[in-house]
């Protein structure tokens, strides 16, 4: 697994995306406006602070540290009427960028009543009313099918809405992945598949469970564009995803993107680890996307040190307020098991993704 | 030699270890079963002893994993395939209910599928993936379905499951993993499959339970013992094929039956046992059979909701009081 940005899927000839090589960052960065560059930074910081808070509050939370550039780059800049399905690791920032309230999201991590689903769904679920495919079960890969179906719905209605779904490298080994991507390819569905490739599925390195080095290379097998991008470069991820979204909006069908990054933390917050080397972890800590991006923006003169410090302070205060709100919220209401909400009545048709 | 005292999970691993030593055709495959030692320590030490050929890491490809076990079993190997959590069984349903279950019968007995599918279910300290889907598989002829509740049976049934020439679905309750320690016999010990076990003798009412609910039933029996009510507790450690004879004998003694499981009450194992009781023991019963199980909602995940959703000792107690007063 390398982190260099290359296109993949060469055998199909159907390769799109960024030009290969080291210059990609500069080429793509040119397309990202200064405002967007700053917003990407803010969201990456928010992702880090928020997810750290969740890990501290819930030792069973799944740390997203190190993967902020991939997550933020993927889900930044979508339209509110697009549909997203975010990978379970670090999805809150994707939801927050659509307007989900931080206090309610943190409440979900704590099983509080103020969450978006009355404590029923998994903590990392998102509000369906913001056009987010929710996490209602823990079986990985199945949401790829649901997101693909959402794209079918969007295509069916006409217009130019798209679906963006992210998933793990490990998850890409589920049959559901193959079936979903092939279906989307055949029907030219308006969907972008983004693999949040952090090189691990729990204790297993991708090399143990993936014989083809690149997940993007699989795109050739489906006859769709496949792009491999440096997942620690937020602008590169953002540009590549936006390009794929453009194709999807234009009716040109799905794209498979692989954003190569690294899970700096454990599989879960209290994971004792021990299955990978400290050298490897240190090497990737050195490539931590957040300080890297800060350095870039400092060099470009978009921020200075005091502004950066203020930004961190603001975000910390924002997250502290969310944590306080979540902690103050009552636990999920045990009296509200919802026995009469198992089936939908007529009124429920008004809810869900609109 | 004094008996060894092992936790439930240690006993499971011990069962696999013994069979892997005894029979070179036995191997384990699953996610994170190697260096990490398995989810919740479920295969701890096996990789160190047997190496990567016999303790095989798999991709997240449950359908292929179970299919691979079926196929390897067809070639005479004795695979143990681990689906980390029972919640994922729907992802490999075809391989279980249409391939593993059918092969022996559909080949007119010329083929067999000596595989074990082990998986973790139930609520527990971990509180992840707690779905209990075990009853679904009792509907399917050709599958053996077990759910031990003690370390001794965990070991003994694991050994028996590995030696069994049929596909055995082995449900491991996560609460029991580290919570329970018990004596396990030394040496070559197999607990026969196809039996249920009387865990506590009583004369007033029979409670037939599975998994963690066995322990909740024993707790209820203990409490009621103080009130002079004598409760017989049966551990339905093998759900299929079901040893109803032992349950029937108990009903003839107590005239009252309660069935308790953590899975949904509707369409569950309790329904099957209650139906058998109606067919075979109608005139031995002094009260309607009562089922204790989870309410008819999807399994909610926040702790207060889960605690409300899960059937507990208090539900068994009130069921017992109900049947004693009808
Ligand atoms: C179908 C299914 N199989 C296994 C699991 C158990 N599991 C939970 S997270 C995980 C690792 C997932 O790896 P990846 O898709 O790469 O995501 P990451 O954790 O690295 O973000 C596994 C195997 C699951 N949730 N669903
Ligand atoms: Mg991964």
């Amino acid at each position: 697994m390398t982190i260099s940005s290359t296109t993949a899927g060469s055998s199909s000839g159907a390769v799109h995306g960024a030009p290969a090589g080291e210059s990609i960052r500069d080429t793509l960065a040119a397309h990202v406006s200064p405002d967007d560059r700053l917003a990407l930074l803010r969201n990456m910081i928010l992702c880090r602070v928020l997810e750290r808070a969740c890990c501290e509050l819930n030792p069973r939370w799944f740390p997203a540290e190190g993967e902020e550039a991939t997550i933020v780059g993927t889900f930044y800049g979508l339209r509110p009427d697009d549909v997203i399905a975010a990978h379970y690791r670090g999805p809150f920032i994707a939801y927050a960028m659509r307007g989900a309230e931080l206090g309610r999201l943190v409440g979900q991590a704590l099983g509080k009543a103020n969450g978006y689903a009355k404590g029923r769904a998994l903590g990392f679920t998102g509000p369906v009313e913001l056009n987010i495919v929710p996490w209602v079960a823990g079986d990985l890969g199945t949401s790829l099918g649901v997101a693909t179906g959402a794209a079918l719905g969007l295509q069916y209605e006409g217009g130019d809405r798209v679906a963006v779904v992210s998933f793990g490298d490990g998850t890409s080994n589920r049959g559901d992945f193959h079936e979903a991507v092939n279906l989307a390819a055949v029907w030219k569905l308006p969907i972008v598949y983004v693999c949040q490739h952090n090189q691990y599925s729990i204790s297993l390195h991708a090399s143990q469970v993936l014989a083809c080095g690149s997940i993007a290379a699989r795109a050739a097998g489906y006859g769709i564009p496949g792009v491999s991008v440096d997942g620690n470069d937020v602008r590169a991820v953002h540009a590549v995803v936006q390009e794929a979204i453009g194709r999807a909006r234009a009716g040109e069908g799905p794209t498979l993107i692989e954003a190569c990054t690294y899970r700096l933390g454990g599989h879960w917050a209290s994971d004792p680890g021990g299955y990978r080397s400290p050298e490897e972890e240190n090497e990737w800590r050195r490539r931590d996307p957040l300080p890297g991006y800060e350095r870039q923006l400092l060099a470009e003169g978009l921020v200075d040190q005091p502004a950066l410090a203020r930004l961190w302070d603001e975000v910390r205060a924002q997250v502290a307020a969310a944590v306080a709100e979540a902690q103050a919220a009552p636990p999920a209401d045990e009296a509200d098991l919802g026995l009469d909400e198992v089936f939908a009545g007529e009124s429920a048709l008004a809810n869900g993704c609109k | 030699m004094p008996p060894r005292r092992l936790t439930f999970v240690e006993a499971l691993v011990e069962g696999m270890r013994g069979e892997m030593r005894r029979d070179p055709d036995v191997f384990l495959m699953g996610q994170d079963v190697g260096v990490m030692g398995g989810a919740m320590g479920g295969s701890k030490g096996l990789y160190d002893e047997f190496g990567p050929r016999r303790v095989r890491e798999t991709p997240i490809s449950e359908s292929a994993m179970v299919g691979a076990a079926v196929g390897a079993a067809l070639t005479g190997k004795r695979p143990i395939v681990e689906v980390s959590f029972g919640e994922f069984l729907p992802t490999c349903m075809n391989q279980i209910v249409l391939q593993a279950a059918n092969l022996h019968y559909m080949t007119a007995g010329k083929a067999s599928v000596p595989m074990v599918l082990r998986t973790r279910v139930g609520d527990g300290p971990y509180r992840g993936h707690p779905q209990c889907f075990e009853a679904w598989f009792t509907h399917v002829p050709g599958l053996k379905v077990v759910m031990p509740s003690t370390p001794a049976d965990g070991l003994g049934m694991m050994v028996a499951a590995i030696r069994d020439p049929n596909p055995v679905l082995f449900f491991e309750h996560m609460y029991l993993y580290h919570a329970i320690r018990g004596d396990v016999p030394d040496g070559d010990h197999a607990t026969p499959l196809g039996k249920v076990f009387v865990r506590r003798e009583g004369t007033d009412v029979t409670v037939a339970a599975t998994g963690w609910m066995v322990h909740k039933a024993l707790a209820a029996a203990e409490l009621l013992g103080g009130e002079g009510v004598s409760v017989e507790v049966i551990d339905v450690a093998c759900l299929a094929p079901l040893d109803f004879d032992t349950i029937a004998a108990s009903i003839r003694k107590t005239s009252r039956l309660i069935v308790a499981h953590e899975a949904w009450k509707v369409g569950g194992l309790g329904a099957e046992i209650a139906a058998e009781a109606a067919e075979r023991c109608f005139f031995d019963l002094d009260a309607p059979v009562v089922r204790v199980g989870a309410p008819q909602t999807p399994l909610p995940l926040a702790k207060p909701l889960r605690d409300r959703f899960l059937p507990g000792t208090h539900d068994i107690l009130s069921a017992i009081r109900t049947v004693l007063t009808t």
Side-chain angles (χ1 to χ4, degrees):
Chain A
M1 189 76 254
T2 71
I3 188 183
S4 67
S5 306
T6 56
T7 52
S10 50
S11 61
S12 77
V15 174
H16 273 265
E22 293 300 315
S23 62
I24 180 175
R25 175 175 298 166
D26 306 329
T27 316
L28 295 172
H31 295 295
V32 182
S33 75
D35 278 357
D36 285 344
R37 289 183 215 186
L38 284 173
L40 290 170
L41 175 64
R42 183 183 193 103
N43 283 310
M44 283 173 70
I45 296 173
L46 179 54
C47 181
R48 174 143 315 178
V49 177
L50 182 62
E51 292 290 329
R52 271 198 185 161
C54 291
C55 288
E56 272 165 31
L57 295 166
N58 177 355
R60 282 281 164 193
W61 200 248
F62 301 99
E65 190 146 330
E67 305 180 33
E68 293 89 350
T70 292
I71 304 167
V72 171
T74 297
F75 292 106
Y76 178 77
L78 296 180
R79 294 194 334 220
D81 66 342
D82 293 330
V83 173
I84 72 159
H87 184 46
Y88 77 92
R89 189 179 297 283
F92 280 178
I93 189 64
Y95 306 157
M97 290 192 293
R98 300 179 80 70
E101 294 167 40
L102 299 187
R104 298 188 69 182
L105 294 175
V106 177
Q108 288 180 182
L110 292 175
K112 294 298 187 77
N114 71 333
Y116 281 97
K118 297 182 172 181
R120 291 179 190 170
L122 290 108
F124 41 82
T125 194
V128 69
E129 57 272 30
L130 296 177
N131 289 323
I132 292 165
V133 175
W135 277 99
V136 298
D139 55 332
L140 291 173
T142 324
S143 57
L144 284 158
V146 178
T148 303
L152 171 61
L154 302 182
Q155 184 193 57
Y156 197 87
E157 76 183 9
D160 64 350
R161 298 166 69 189
V162 302
V164 178
V165 53
S166 63
F167 54 95
D169 46 304
T171 306
S172 77
N173 291 322
R174 285 286 324 286
D176 288 53
F177 164 82
H178 164 75
E179 296 184 21
V181 178
N182 182 58
L183 187 77
V186 168
W187 285 347
K188 282 199 173 309
L189 296 180
I191 184 164
V192 181
Y193 297 95
V194 181
C195 180
Q196 189 170 322
H197 192 339
N198 63 8
Q199 310 186 40
Y200 279 88
S201 37
I202 310 186
S203 72
L204 302 177
H205 188 260
S207 60
Q208 293 172 271
V209 288
L210 259 169
C212 76
S214 155
I215 287 160
R218 291 176 169 179
Y222 307 112
I224 63 169
V227 186
S228 184
V229 64
D230 179 350
N232 280 12
D233 181 341
V234 67
R235 284 184 288 193
V237 175
H238 180 60
V240 162
V241 172
Q242 285 296 318
E243 199 201 12
I245 288 174
R247 277 197 299 281
R249 288 205 203 287
E252 291 168 29
T255 302
L256 176 58
I257 294 166
E258 150 184 70
C260 300
T261 180
Y262 190 80
R263 193 192 79 203
L264 286 175
H267 170 58
W268 62 90
S270 56
D271 181 357
Y275 44 77
R276 56 187 197 184
S277 74
E279 292 75 35
E280 180 187 292
E281 293 184 6
N282 291 338
E283 168 58 16
W284 281 93
R285 178 58 74 178
R286 209 179 51 72
R287 300 194 212 170
D288 184 337
L290 191 41
Y293 189 48
E294 287 176 342
R295 281 193 297 273
Q296 276 179 49
L297 294 191
L298 285 167
E300 289 168 12
L302 266 179
V303 283
D304 55 17
Q305 286 292 2
L308 208 51
R310 270 199 308 280
L311 189 53
W312 276 89
D313 286 345
E314 277 168 33
V315 169
R316 286 203 188 96
Q318 196 185 357
V319 171
V323 168
E325 180 190 328
Q327 283 176 324
D333 179 5
E334 63 139 40
D336 187 14
L337 206 49
L339 270 167
D340 55 354
E341 291 174 38
V342 176
F343 292 101
E346 289 298 313
S347 63
L349 292 175
N351 300 326
C353 293
K354 291 175 290 280
Chain B
M1 229 200 297
R4 290 168 305 164
R5 287 184 68 74
L6 299 183
T7 63
F8 188 71
V9 63
E10 286 165 352
L12 297 172
V13 175
E14 201 55 24
M16 290 186 285
R17 192 197 324 276
E19 287 310 283
M20 289 178 77
R21 283 183 184 161
R22 194 186 58 79
D23 181 351
D25 281 340
V26 178
F27 64 91
L28 172 68
M29 56 180 163
Q31 291 151 24
D32 307 289
V33 294
V35 173
M36 198 181 102
M40 304 174 72
S43 53
K44 203 170 169 192
L46 296 182
Y47 183 81
D48 287 344
E49 180 169 351
F50 300 104
R53 182 171 163 272
R54 298 184 66 198
V55 179
R56 308 177 73 94
E57 301 281 22
T58 61
I60 308 177
S61 305
E62 282 80 5
S63 188
M65 286 154 59
V66 177
V70 174
L74 206 57
T75 67
K77 303 298 164 284
R78 300 244 160 200
I80 307 167
V81 61
E82 166 171 328
V83 172
S84 311
F85 299 97
E87 182 168 346
F88 314 146
L89 290 176
T91 65
C92 42
M93 210 63 178
N94 307 49
Q95 295 293 354
I96 302 169
V97 306
L98 297 173
Q99 293 294 329
N102 285 4
L103 267 158
H104 180 67
Y105 178 82
M106 293 288 182
T107 56
K110 283 180 283 190
S112 65
V113 184
M115 64 173 264
V116 178
L117 189 165
R118 65 180 298 222
T119 193
R120 300 177 185 82
V121 297
D123 195 41
Y126 167 54
R127 305 204 82 121
H129 309 301
Q131 301 280 357
C132 289
F133 293 149
E134 62 280 354
W136 297 358
F137 302 93
T138 66
H139 183 64
V140 182
L143 298 175
K144 294 192 175 178
V145 181
V146 305
M147 192 178 197
S149 77
T150 66
D153 282 351
L155 189 154
M157 295 183 94
M158 182 60 82
V159 170
I162 294 168
R163 293 181 189 173
D164 201 283
N166 295 285
V168 180
L169 270 55
F170 200 101
F171 288 90
E172 304 171 5
H173 197 293
M174 287 189 269
Y175 171 81
L176 304 177
Y177 251 50
H178 302 105
I180 294 214
R181 190 176 283 281
D183 291 346
V184 299
D186 253 326
D188 199 12
H189 166 72
T191 307
L193 306 186
K195 292 267 173 257
V196 302
F197 307 109
V198 177
R199 290 281 174 230
R200 178 187 171 116
E201 298 207 21
T203 51
D204 296 332
V205 53
T206 300
V207 180
T210 57
W212 189 10
M213 294 299 277
V214 173
H215 298 272
K216 294 181 184 176
L218 289 169
E222 195 59 37
L223 284 169
L224 287 172
E227 296 175 22
V229 177
S230 168
V231 181
E232 177 142 312
V233 176
I234 295 181
D235 179 353
V236 187
C238 185
L239 287 68
L242 181 65
D243 165 21
F244 190 76
D245 287 347
T246 300
I247 299 173
S250 180
I251 293 172
R252 279 194 290 278
K253 186 165 66 166
T254 64
S255 310
R256 291 178 173 84
L257 176 66
I258 287 157
V259 195
H261 50 62
E262 202 171 308
W264 290 296
K265 177 176 149 179
V266 174
L269 181 74
E272 176 61 23
I273 292 177
E276 284 278 350
E279 283 181 12
R280 292 178 49 184
C281 308
F282 188 79
F283 298 105
D284 298 313
L285 284 164
D286 283 348
V289 178
V290 172
R291 290 171 295 158
V292 174
Q296 200 64 359
T297 70
L299 201 162
L301 288 156
K303 183 175 179 335
L305 300 180
R306 283 272 279 288
D307 291 344
R308 177 66 177 261
F309 174 89
L310 279 178
T313 303
H314 56 283
D315 296 301
I316 298 173
L317 282 172
S318 68
I320 292 173
R321 295 213 162 92
T322 303
V323 297
L324 286 174
T325 50
T326 17

